[in-house]
Amino acid sequence: MAVNAPSLAASGDKLRKIEALLGGSGILALRLTDVLDAHELLLCGLPASALDQLVGRLVVIGKSEFLEKTVGMSLRTWQQRKDNPSKPLSREQSGRLWKFAKILVRATDIFGSQAEAERWLTRPVVGLNQHRPIDLLGTPAGVELVVDHLDRLEHSVCA
């Protein structure tokens, strides 16, 4: 059991950071204790205000680019959704938003600040064949490429 303790603590820390990016327990209507809680929340759809919270916390990435590349939503649709804030995001949009928040937390830990993480997401990366990570986040295969690249960076493998 002791072997897993550090990884569980790290996992809990990352979960807290993701939760904070999405507005915390006040927006999510519960405090996430584990990834299973997140799963249940995503099945029901994240509140639209969680998306608003993350958009408001972006430092470098523009609203329109973020919404289109990562959530699959136009800026116009996002603005129209503000008229009905109680309507939750779809499962797909919720999952994509969660995945982006998770990647942003991971990149922030690696690069030292959210601003640097966002800059990395928006610049061509040699290890991704000169693709910008944000451009790859629209598909599960692209997300996998970005996560694998972050793994290599985190473990100091030549990337």
Side-chain angles (χ1 to χ4, degrees), residues 48-59:
S49 52
L51 175 60
D52 299 342
Q53 287 292 314
L54 186 62
V55 167
R57 293 173 192 264
L58 294 174
V59 180

Side-chain angles (χ1 to χ4, degrees), residues 95-144:
R96 289 175 69 169
L97 181 60
W98 179 268
K99 186 50 102 172
F100 177 82
K102 187 175 179 180
I103 286 170
L104 182 57
V105 163
R106 182 113 182 262
T108 299
D109 288 346
I110 291 169
F111 293 105
S113 74
Q114 182 177 323
E116 283 304 312
E118 288 184 40
R119 281 186 196 92
W120 177 80
L121 284 162
T122 59
R123 293 182 179 146
V125 173
V126 172
L128 295 172
N129 202 23
Q130 294 300 325
H131 285 84
R132 299 182 324 148
I134 197 166
D135 293 334
L136 299 172
L137 298 180
T139 68
V143 167
E144 188 176 333

